[in-house]
Amino acid sequence: MLQALMDFYTSTGFYGINIGSILMMIVACIFLYLAIVKGFEPLLLVPISFGMLLTNLPFAGMMAEPLMEVKEHITASGAVQYVVHTAEPGGLLYYLFQGDHLGIFPPLIFMGVGAMTDFGPLIANPKSLLLGAAAQFGIFVTFLGAIGSGLFTAQEAASIGIIGGADGPTAIFLSSKLAPHLMGPIAVAAYSYMALVPIIQPPIMTALTSEKERKIKMSQLRMVTKKEKVIFPIVVTIIVSLIVPPAATLIGMLMLGNLFRECGVVGRLEDTAKNALINIITIFLGVTVGATATAEAFLKVETLAILALGVVAFGIGTGSGVLLAKLMNKMSKTPINPLLGSAGVSAVPMAARVSQVVGQKADPSNFLLMHAMGPNVAGVIGSAVSAGVLLSLFG
């Protein structure tokens, strides 16, 4: 009887639990608290944190790789053949993770984002493109910092730097090509910082602007015609893909989704892309990204360095966008609120909402949301182009 109890105990998770697993489960619960109680981007943090919880449960095997066997088979002619078969299947999340590993999920997310995005504010105010480009500055500064740390190769540093674009799908896509072994920490950092935009950005924005600048009101944007909105995704796809071919996958899917939205003749495809498809992929992507956060992968110096470099990249991206907006405000005849520059990171629409909130704290009658969407959607394009440039240089 005692032996039976011992056998049962050794088969439970209590027997296999360790300090690392406990720490990671605590982190997962903190993320769940932030998502559910504080409302910090629950659509991202709930699946990520629950995936983190699942993968750190001892003996659950949610991310276990399949056990393969090689058997020798002698044919009728006497020839020897070796047959590989699955002796034991892997965990559920291991198979779903292949969508991350093979770079399938990120472009599909981009298609859904494109179907939900109105590029009208960017078309109406092309100067917004400069703010979206400026916010990518953090990517390249962090790349140099990661190289200078001596901990990472050029490919790894490029994958870490892309966190500064505040674009989780792009970070996964690039790291899957350049540094697959770091995809877990990079993806968790990118998505976590995306979810924490309302906490990270406001202090930087207020530190770099005066109250007078935050009160600047923007003039009304011009109306954008349907013809312009239909032509825009086609032209952007052609130009970007010719200049930076590796960016074609992300930009192409983003603009395909947007064409579904704007052409007006494929309503069912638009509805599927921006609702059912993106919701399903978000669940798969979030849970599998969280499932890479094992104690063995995360509790080491390199991972802590990635998290630190990631927040630096994000901060520099936010700051550089604000500073360029301040410069443009000095040079422009029409006033530009510097808070719009922080929306140049591609966390859509969170960064634009933060610009609106910070602006209204200075002046409750100030409405910056639609103006902030211009640099925000420009940031999506900018992060994809930046990823394409890094892939061209180090792929």
Side-chain angles (χ1 to χ4, degrees):
M1 180 67 177
L2 183 60
Q3 184 60 42
L5 289 174
M6 285 300 297
D7 290 343
F8 173 73
Y9 171 70
T10 56
S11 69
T12 66
F14 293 105
Y15 178 76
I17 203 164
N18 54 49
I19 295 296
S21 298
I22 293 172
L23 286 175
M24 294 306 297
M25 285 191 282
I26 291 172
V27 171
C29 291
I30 292 172
F31 278 2
L32 283 171
Y33 171 80
L34 291 174
I36 297 170
V37 179
K38 297 297 184 179
F40 290 155
E41 297 304 326
L43 292 179
L44 291 176
L45 272 191
V46 169
I48 288 174
S49 50
F50 206 80
M52 190 181 298
L53 183 67
L54 288 173
T55 198
N56 285 286
L57 294 172
F59 303 153
M62 299 294 287
M63 279 289 281
E65 295 185 14
L67 181 63
M68 310 302 290
E69 281 187 356
V70 180
K71 287 191 174 181
E72 188 178 283
H73 174 68
I74 300 176
T75 65
S77 62
V80 178
Q81 290 183 341
Y82 294 96
V83 180
V84 180
H85 73 101
T86 304
E88 186 177 330
L92 170 65
L93 297 185
Y94 167 81
Y95 292 107
L96 294 180
F97 179 71
Q98 301 312 303
D100 303 340
H101 181 68
L102 299 175
I104 297 170
F105 290 162
L108 294 179
I109 289 283
F110 260 62
M111 183 169 66
V113 169
M116 293 189 292
T117 301
D118 179 10
F119 284 102
L122 175 59
I123 300 170
N125 184 18
K127 288 187 291 187
S128 299
L129 197 61
L130 295 176
L131 298 177
Q136 311 310 312
F137 185 63
I139 294 174
F140 299 97
V141 171
T142 306
F143 164 74
L144 296 176
I147 289 286
S149 72
L151 295 173
F152 305 103
T153 65
Q155 287 78 9
E156 292 169 342
S159 300
I160 295 167
I162 204 70
I163 296 173
D167 191 336
T170 303
I172 292 174
F173 180 79
L174 186 64
S175 58
S176 70
K177 305 291 185 184
L178 298 182
H181 56 291
L182 294 181
M183 183 162 54
I186 288 170
V188 169
Y191 272 105
S192 298
Y193 295 145
M194 281 177 65
L196 298 175
V197 161
I199 294 177
I200 297 172
Q201 281 198 317
I204 300 171
M205 296 161 68
T206 53
L208 294 177
T209 57
S210 65
E211 186 173 357
K212 181 181 178 181
E213 288 175 321
R214 294 194 291 274
K215 288 182 176 180
I216 292 175
K217 293 186 177 180
M218 301 290 294
S219 58
Q220 181 69 34
L221 293 171
R222 72 171 179 86
M223 292 294 294
V224 178
T225 66
K226 179 179 178 179
K227 182 183 294 185
E228 288 176 296
K229 290 186 174 183
V230 171
I231 292 174
F232 179 80
I234 300 171
V235 171
V236 169
T237 301
I238 294 171
I239 293 176
V240 172
S241 299
L242 289 176
I243 296 173
V244 191
T249 302
L250 294 178
I251 289 293
M253 296 303 285
L254 176 71
M255 293 302 159
L256 173 62
N258 188 249
L259 189 60
F260 287 164
R261 171 193 173 94
E262 302 299 351
C263 70
V265 294
V266 287
R268 289 192 301 171
L269 298 185
E270 177 198 352
D271 180 66
T272 299
K274 71 180 184 182
N275 290 304
L277 179 62
I278 196 170
N279 288 336
I280 291 169
I281 299 300
T282 298
I283 294 171
F284 290 169
L285 190 65
V287 174
T288 53
V289 162
T292 62
T294 60
E296 295 80 10
F298 268 67
L299 300 180
K300 54 185 182 180
V301 174
E302 289 81 1
T303 301
L304 296 177
I306 289 171
L307 294 174
L309 288 166
V311 75
V312 168
F314 194 83
I316 293 174
T318 299
S320 58
V322 172
L323 291 175
L324 181 64
K326 285 168 69 78
L327 178 63
M328 291 171 65
N329 187 45
K330 299 291 184 183
M331 301 173 64
S332 175
K333 293 180 180 179
T334 55
I336 298 174
N337 192 312
L339 296 178
L340 301 184
S342 65
V345 297
S346 61
V348 178
M350 293 90 82
R353 287 204 299 258
V354 170
S355 296
Q356 166 77 3
V357 169
V358 175
Q360 285 203 318
K361 283 183 179 179
D363 181 356
S365 66
N366 203 358
F367 294 94
L368 299 174
L369 184 60
M370 286 309 297
H371 298 278
M373 283 304 298
N376 205 188
V377 297
V380 179
I381 298 173
S383 66
V385 172
S386 299
V389 170
L390 293 171
L391 198 54
S392 297
L393 294 174
F394 305 108

